[in-house]
Amino acid sequence: MVRLPYLTALTTLLSYGILFVFGQLRDLFRKLLDSSKSNNLQGYAPICLGLEDFYTRRLYLRIQDCFGRPISSAPDAWFDVVERYSNDNNKTLQRTEKTSKCLNLGSYNYLGFAAADEYCTPRVIETLKEYSVSTCSVRVDGGTTKLHNELEELVARFVGKPAAILFGMGYVTNSAIIPALVSKGSLIISDSLNHNSIVNGARGSGATVRVFQHNSPSHLEDLLREQIAHGQPRTHRPWKKIVVIIEGIYSMEGELCNLPEIIAVCKKYKVYTYLDEAHSIGAVGKTGKGVCELLGVDPTDVDIMMGTFTKSFGSCGGYIAASKEIIQHLKRTCPAHLYATSMSPPAVQQVISALQVILGEDGTNRGAKKLAQIRENSNFFRSELQKMGFEVLGDNDSPVMPIMLYNPAKIPAFSRECLNQNVAVVTVAFPATPLLLARARICISAAHTREDLIKGLEVISKVGDLVGIKYFPVEPLKPQKVRELKKLE
Amino acid sequence: MASAMVNITASVLDWVSLAFDAPTKAVVFGVPIDGHLVVEVLLVVVILFQLTRKSYKPPKKPLTEKEIDELCDEWVPEPLTPQITEDMTDDAPILESAAGPHAIVNGKEVLNFASANYLGLIGNEKITDSCVGALEKYGVGSCGPRGFYGTIDVHLDCEQKIAKFLGTPDSILYSYGISTIFSVIPAFCKKGDIIVADEGVHWAVQNGLYLSRSTVAYFKHNDMKSLENKLEEVTRRSKHPEKIRRYIVVESIYQNSGQIAPLDEILRLKEKYRFRIILDESHSFGVLGNSGRGLAEQCGVPIEKIDIITAGMGNALATDGGFCTGSVRVVDHQRLSSAGYVFSASLPPYLASAAIAAVDHLEENPSILANLRANIATLFNELSDVPGLVVASHLLSPIVFLKLKKSTGSDKADMHLLESIAKRVLEEDSVLIVTTKRSSLDKCPLPIGLRLFVSASHSESDLLKAATSLKRVAALVLS
């Protein structure tokens, strides 16, 4: 939970107010200067009207160099960040040839499969030579290879479900599956902090969408009772089906979802559950099987489990694991299966090899070591940050930890200062987070060694002092108190 | 009886008129109190009395907890998916080698007409080498969205390369073919905007149109007269045409029918009615035009006149992903407002380097386009006399589309016939061709048919074999 001090809230609002006023003034001057020049749009409406891109032009462009930093090596624990410069006050950025080696605390590389791996890469290259880069065909036409079927079986076995289906992109998985399962006359209840792909999928399906308070089973229960009792809006017919969509780890909060209670509520009211494990599959749980394993929930209780291969497996694509009937139905109707180019075979092989390492089927215990490493790293880093006085969100065991910044000026200060000291962090502001709650998000990887983490902590602590984000300092025992305690002994 | 009534009525009337015409009996505060004043005061008092009464509303009884419990117990949801019947089994052919013109499917070698490998780049040595280099340097995935250290230098190089190849200022890469168009459309079109789209566009475009929440009007497939009428209609109906953004959405080669959009006509109409064009060139990039630059080069139109061009790279370029190109304003706008770009991990770097190598190869060897065109012409000619089927695609389209001369009347029966033709052609003659698959979410009204994807690396004997096989099986099945 975010504990926002009043003074901070006030100063943040004031900062945004000043930025807004300045932005409006500059817009006014721009309009005055432009009205003298001729307008060359000639009857076409402009692409962005009025205040639609105000945030982009006046606030985002000022700190544009903190986002979209190009890299020129694999996104491993240490990587090369390309330096950029700007000649026109950050409106455009030019690349240079220089790079600087930085500690990577921003990429989703939970198990360290991002760079070339000793087991995976030779197999991937072999697959590339055998099956070539792409099949140029959709899955149902001529794009299904032996590898795709093998991976589907492996994923189903790993997650604990009877069958699975693959897609080439995680975003498309959500946007194209949800319309295939629910349509008009059904109800979707989704968590208030769900990812954009789920929101798009829910909107594209035509079903009614309701939102419940983040991670609150009691509010979910109240909402379910009200909705089932009242039925569809206006006609009051009973709902055809109700689906509750939740995520395993919420990427902006680092929190685990309250899975056991939510599943209990859903079973009581006979609603279907859809669990999006994009960030948690492979990263949490004793053997990497995700939040179900971590929180002790049987996978058969969740109707549909979705995940992506981008984060923990170092590849691309997504999957859905469910019962055989649901997967059969999806194979017949899901547009992403019928119209989209099938997943590239080398990427499929990368996931197969990564899964074999995690399951220990490659003959070594690297998988178990990686899983233990990431858990240890996450807990160490989080406890150290909290000891230093930062406000860190998220639960124990979650490899995602946001550090609260709040003030808009602290975002570029933190980001640029850390980069100067060769630590690359990710800062997130509006619109991905609420306006007042800007944060820096750290993603820990199993490829980080203890020395890397200690270096990262040192730099963050120094920069945190400079920028002033240690909101909850833990007071060290004053020397006077220590003497008093000694006297008592 | 009647006279008694008359008497009573007369006396009442007399009494009333007496009361009304009674001489002033009193003067209160300078106001003479006439008889009618009393009646009026009484009327006002009665009205006020009624107004102060509470109106009758049926009492609101919210549902009690027990009633809600009962309703929740009674409610029975539909099953999540409908029952699977016998004929709905999944039997996609399983590839055991690269998807080149000769592939190994289900254990035996077949002639592959199911891959959109138009330039024959699958298995190309140079592309494979550049991919191996990329894999060793960058690994497989990019582990992050473009805004958070997922931008790798090969992405930027690929964007520059495509922009230079097409002659536009800039371009933007997407990580998946179909997500390109359904992220671009909602980024530019919002509620209240007007879109005129062809009715035969594929599902990804339809999804993008739906997500944009704009007003969409469809015109008849590839019919310019219908387009003109629709443009006229929407322009007349809208009140402030300068403030509303208006778009025409078409594909260059329609994947549902193989027709080619007449770009010069569309440009003329666009300039007349002040609309912007969104053109999806997934199947024409690298195919049409003297050097493969797409429909604009084919029709001799300068590329600046087309506002937004999108394409998937999973066809001619034999990799995956997509790109969008246009003016600087168009591309910059997408970097922050396009959902599929901002909220999704970026394209794996080896696919981007494959795209760069593919474009290089196309620039160095423009003769493969001539091969492709010759192959399409040969197949088109050979298939013009298949019994029971007619070629419905354009003669320059690399997707050769065959539909039934006489439909049986029901879509399901048509599908059954076409599938049995495809199955027999595969089993008896080892030629892999495919039928159009339609999802239940697809609203396209065009007829289904058989599709053959022609590649530049098909030899003439391959094409002849496919044609003879198709003629033989069609004669058997459709007679």
Side-chain angles (χ1 to χ4, degrees):
Chain A
M1 282 311 300
V2 175
R3 302 168 286 170
L4 178 55
Y6 279 123
L7 189 60
T8 317
L10 210 59
T11 49
T12 314
L13 270 174
L14 191 66
S15 319
Y16 274 112
I18 295 176
L19 284 168
F20 182 76
V21 165
F22 266 94
Q24 292 285 35
L25 279 172
R26 290 178 83 142
D27 273 353
L28 186 66
F29 281 123
R30 173 60 43 193
K31 215 165 33 168
L32 289 172
L33 283 172
D34 272 347
S35 62
S36 51
K37 288 196 238 143
S38 65
N39 188 7
N40 63 346
L41 278 175
Q42 295 156 351
Y44 290 93
I47 285 193
C48 280
L49 296 165
L51 286 184
E52 266 173 17
D53 61 344
F54 177 79
Y55 181 80
T56 312
R57 274 178 297 125
R58 299 299 172 204
L59 277 80
Y60 175 80
L61 279 184
R62 284 167 178 266
I63 55 172
Q64 207 198 144
D65 61 315
C66 301
F67 302 103
R69 292 188 179 138
I71 62 178
S72 68
S73 73
D76 203 8
W78 287 83
F79 61 178
D80 298 323
V81 176
V82 172
E83 289 174 14
R84 299 184 291 177
Y85 66 92
S86 172
N87 287 334
D88 52 3
N89 212 11
N90 257 3
K91 260 172 78 180
T92 54
L93 292 160
Q94 320 293 336
R95 272 157 79 184
T96 61
E97 295 299 324
K98 290 202 296 176
T99 61
S100 49
K101 202 168 177 56
C102 300
L103 177 65
N104 181 1
L105 290 177
S107 294
Y108 301 139
N109 177 22
Y110 299 139
L111 291 179
F113 283 113
D117 182 79
E118 59 192 11
Y119 181 79
C120 302
T121 310
R123 286 176 174 68
V124 171
I125 294 185
E126 209 183 291
T127 309
L128 172 68
K129 296 201 171 119
E130 193 186 331
Y131 285 94
S132 146
V133 176
S134 158
T135 56
C136 290
S137 174
V138 302
R139 279 294 296 274
V140 284
D141 283 347
T144 306
T145 62
K146 255 192 346 208
L147 291 172
H148 290 96
N149 286 345
E150 192 184 326
L151 181 56
E152 285 180 353
E153 282 168 29
L154 192 53
V155 163
R157 190 159 53 95
F158 183 70
V159 166
K161 284 286 208 188
I165 179 175
L166 291 181
F167 297 96
M169 181 180 170
Y171 189 94
V172 163
T173 312
N174 274 331
S175 320
I177 287 291
I178 299 180
L181 291 172
V182 290
S183 59
K184 205 151 177 268
S186 312
L187 176 66
I188 295 179
I189 302 190
S190 91
D191 190 292
S192 56
L193 295 177
N194 268 343
H195 189 252
N196 187 276
S197 56
I198 298 178
V199 171
N200 259 352
R203 257 199 241 147
S205 68
T208 319
V209 182
R210 294 274 180 268
V211 164
F212 73 94
Q213 267 170 26
H214 176 58
N215 240 354
S216 154
S218 52
H219 186 243
L220 174 63
E221 182 161 5
D222 289 337
L223 190 62
L224 273 175
R225 288 169 67 84
E226 187 196 322
Q227 289 298 325
I228 299 180
H230 286 279
Q232 298 187 25
R234 291 173 63 232
T235 55
H236 294 293
R237 289 199 195 110
W239 294 105
K240 289 200 192 144
K241 44 191 146 164
I242 303 186
V243 180
V244 171
I245 306 184
I246 45 181
E247 287 187 33
I249 292 186
Y250 292 92
S251 57
M252 286 300 157
E253 271 69 35
E255 274 174 5
L256 297 165
C257 83
N258 225 335
L259 198 59
E261 283 97 356
I262 293 185
I263 299 286
V265 168
C266 292
K267 276 171 96 160
K268 184 168 157 204
Y269 291 94
K270 296 174 279 196
V271 304
Y272 301 111
T273 41
Y274 181 108
L275 178 62
D276 176 340
E277 289 214 76
H279 283 266
S280 53
I281 189 75
V284 294
K286 209 152 75 77
T287 52
K289 302 207 167 129
V291 282
C292 286
E293 191 183 10
L294 186 68
L295 299 174
V297 172
D298 190 1
T300 44
D301 287 340
V302 182
D303 293 294
I304 301 174
M305 298 174 70
M306 177 261 177
T308 59
F309 300 126
T310 336
K311 281 102 187 172
S312 311
F313 306 103
S315 173
C316 65
Y319 69 87
I320 296 265
S323 68
K324 281 208 166 56
E325 291 82 30
I326 298 181
I327 298 294
Q328 282 277 40
H329 171 78
L330 287 175
K331 283 189 172 167
R332 303 266 326 162
T333 54
C334 177
H337 194 247
L338 297 175
Y339 299 127
T341 320
S342 67
M343 196 164 150
S344 167
V348 177
Q349 179 62 41
Q350 163 77 13
V351 185
I352 295 180
S353 315
L355 275 173
Q356 281 170 344
V357 171
I358 296 176
L359 285 171
E361 285 169 12
D362 62 330
T364 67
N365 64 346
R366 280 175 66 215
K369 273 208 285 220
K370 280 183 196 272
L371 287 163
Q373 181 82 16
I374 186 175
R375 204 171 28 247
E376 206 183 296
N377 284 355
S378 322
N379 291 336
F380 169 70
F381 207 81
R382 181 174 266 116
S383 56
E384 287 297 313
L385 282 177
Q386 275 168 340
K387 270 195 242 164
M388 286 180 198
F390 289 103
E391 184 175 350
V392 184
L393 305 180
D395 297 332
N396 267 338
D397 277 355
S398 141
V400 177
M401 42 199 92
I403 304 177
M404 296 310 294
L405 295 173
Y406 300 120
N407 212 298
K410 298 189 180 172
I411 304 170
F414 189 76
S415 179
R416 288 172 191 159
E417 206 37 58
C418 279
L419 191 63
N420 282 343
Q421 314 211 10
N422 287 348
V423 168
V425 293
V426 161
T427 46
V428 200
F430 185 79
T433 59
L435 187 66
L436 293 181
L437 304 175
R439 60 201 73 178
R441 186 180 69 175
I442 312 271
C443 292
I444 298 293
S445 152
H448 287 133
T449 59
R450 192 46 82 97
E451 293 79 39
D452 296 336
L453 294 180
I454 294 180
K455 160 139 181 46
L457 284 166
E458 262 171 39
V459 170
I460 292 183
S461 181
K462 247 191 296 182
V463 177
D465 279 327
L466 263 175
V467 169
I469 48 176
K470 293 190 173 168
Y471 292 112
F472 298 102
V474 175
E475 306 239 334
L477 271 184
K478 292 206 179 51
Q480 199 182 14
K481 263 211 145 121
V482 172
R483 265 184 268 130
E484 280 176 356
L485 282 171
K486 280 212 171 116
K487 267 201 218 144
L488 286 171
E489 281 168 18
Chain B
M1 192 63 207
S3 55
M5 284 299 298
V6 173
N7 281 338
I8 294 172
T9 333
S11 58
V12 168
L13 274 171
D14 282 339
W15 183 81
V16 168
S17 51
L18 201 69
F20 264 115
D21 296 333
T24 316
K25 283 270 173 67
V27 178
V28 181
F29 297 117
V31 177
I33 303 281
D34 291 324
H36 65 90
L37 211 60
V38 177
V39 178
E40 282 155 16
V41 168
L42 221 58
L43 204 59
V44 169
V45 168
V46 168
I47 290 174
L48 284 175
F49 179 72
Q50 290 289 33
L51 279 176
T52 54
R53 298 282 94 211
K54 260 199 309 203
S55 58
Y56 177 70
K57 274 199 219 122
K60 229 184 193 173
K61 281 189 292 200
L63 296 171
T64 61
E65 288 302 312
K66 195 155 148 314
E67 282 169 339
I68 296 185
D69 278 336
E70 276 174 16
L71 283 167
C72 292
D73 284 334
E74 273 174 17
W75 178 65
V76 175
E78 272 182 14
L80 196 50
T81 49
Q83 272 294 77
I84 305 291
T85 57
E86 269 310 310
D87 60 340
M88 286 185 180
T89 47
D90 169 47
D91 50 2
I94 302 181
L95 225 57
E96 286 161 24
S97 73
H102 296 267
I104 302 180
V105 169
N106 290 343
K108 50 181 191 159
E109 183 165 329
V110 300
L111 263 183
N112 187 3
F113 279 94
S115 295
N117 174 19
Y118 302 137
L119 299 176
L121 291 175
I122 289 188
N124 182 295
E125 284 289 324
K126 274 213 221 115
I127 297 185
T128 314
D129 284 337
S130 82
C131 283
V132 172
L135 281 171
E136 284 170 349
K137 185 170 179 205
Y138 300 111
V140 175
S142 59
C143 298
R146 286 291 291 259
F148 300 150
Y149 303 108
T151 308
I152 306 191
D153 46 5
V154 283
H155 292 140
L156 301 171
D157 291 335
C158 186
E159 288 176 355
Q160 292 298 324
K161 179 115 219 156
I162 291 179
K164 213 161 84 147
F165 180 68
L166 281 177
T168 52
D170 203 359
S171 70
I172 176 173
L173 271 187
Y174 283 85
S175 28
Y176 205 44
I178 58 169
S179 78
T180 314
I181 190 69
F182 78 57
S183 305
V184 167
I185 297 183
F188 289 104
C189 315
K190 307 274 191 302
K191 202 170 160 113
D193 294 337
I194 298 179
I195 305 184
V196 175
D198 188 300
E199 66 180 5
V201 286
H202 62 282
W203 174 82
V205 182
Q206 292 169 18
N207 196 27
L209 294 173
Y210 182 75
L211 286 173
S212 69
R213 298 200 267 204
S214 320
T215 334
V216 184
Y218 290 99
F219 66 92
K220 288 213 198 33
H221 182 54
N222 227 13
D223 181 350
M224 292 299 109
K225 205 82 198 63
S226 169
L227 173 60
E228 186 157 10
N229 291 341
K230 263 285 160 346
L231 290 172
E232 184 70 51
E233 194 185 313
V234 293
T235 320
R236 241 182 314 126
R237 262 192 295 156
S238 65
K239 295 197 195 93
H240 296 283
E242 307 80 48
K243 298 232 185 76
I244 310 179
R245 294 169 286 221
R246 291 159 297 171
Y247 297 91
I248 301 178
V249 176
V250 284
E251 292 177 46
S252 57
I253 297 186
Y254 292 93
Q255 67 187 45
N256 281 330
S257 72
Q259 292 292 324
I260 298 189
L263 191 60
D264 31 14
E265 255 310 292
I266 299 181
L267 270 177
R268 190 186 61 83
L269 289 171
K270 154 199 137 114
E271 277 168 8
K272 180 172 166 198
Y273 291 97
R274 298 268 182 265
F275 273 61
R276 288 193 168 98
I277 285 194
I278 301 181
L279 182 66
D280 182 44
E281 288 218 59
S282 298
H283 292 271
S284 68
F285 180 75
V287 172
L288 293 180
N290 278 335
S291 53
R293 286 179 166 81
L295 191 59
E297 191 183 13
Q298 174 81 21
C299 298
V301 162
I303 197 108
E304 302 82 50
K305 296 227 172 186
I306 312 181
D307 303 282
I308 304 173
I309 300 177
T310 66
M313 303 197 288
N315 304 312
L317 291 183
T319 87
D320 209 349
F323 66 86
C324 174
T325 181
S327 67
V328 177
R329 185 86 177 87
V330 158
V331 170
D332 271 343
H333 177 75
Q334 284 172 62
R335 293 205 196 269
L336 274 184
S337 21
S338 171
Y341 180 81
V342 173
F343 294 109
S344 162
S346 55
L347 186 65
Y350 76 96
L351 290 174
S353 70
I356 297 177
V359 174
D360 275 337
H361 185 87
L362 178 57
E363 276 183 325
E364 287 160 17
N365 310 328
S367 55
I368 40 179
L369 288 166
N371 287 351
L372 177 62
R373 271 195 286 271
N375 282 354
I376 299 175
T378 315
L379 195 60
F380 198 84
N381 281 334
E382 290 294 322
L383 290 177
S384 48
D385 56 352
V386 177
L389 295 170
V390 63
V391 180
S393 57
H394 195 272
L395 57 82
L396 286 176
S397 147
I399 308 177
V400 178
F401 192 87
L402 294 154
K403 63 177 187 192
L404 289 168
K405 260 201 196 120
K406 241 182 357 168
S407 156
T408 56
S410 98
D411 272 340
K412 222 164 151 202
D414 283 348
M415 191 66 174
H416 200 67
L417 272 177
L418 293 167
E419 271 178 3
S420 56
I421 296 181
K423 212 162 112 171
R424 286 185 73 159
V425 166
L426 177 61
E427 281 169 4
E428 294 168 18
D429 294 318
S430 301
V431 176
L432 180 60
I433 59 177
V434 284
T435 57
T436 351
K437 309 282 189 309
R438 284 282 160 78
S439 160
S440 52
L441 302 173
D442 195 340
K443 296 194 278 273
C444 177
L446 298 181
I448 50 176
L450 286 169
R451 287 189 295 183
L452 285 90
F453 293 92
V454 182
S455 160
S457 46
H458 278 132
S459 65
E460 197 155 332
S461 57
D462 293 338
L463 302 169
L464 286 171
K465 182 165 174 218
T468 26
S469 155
L470 200 50
K471 283 187 221 182
R472 188 184 66 85
V473 173
L476 284 172
V477 173
L478 292 174
S479 58

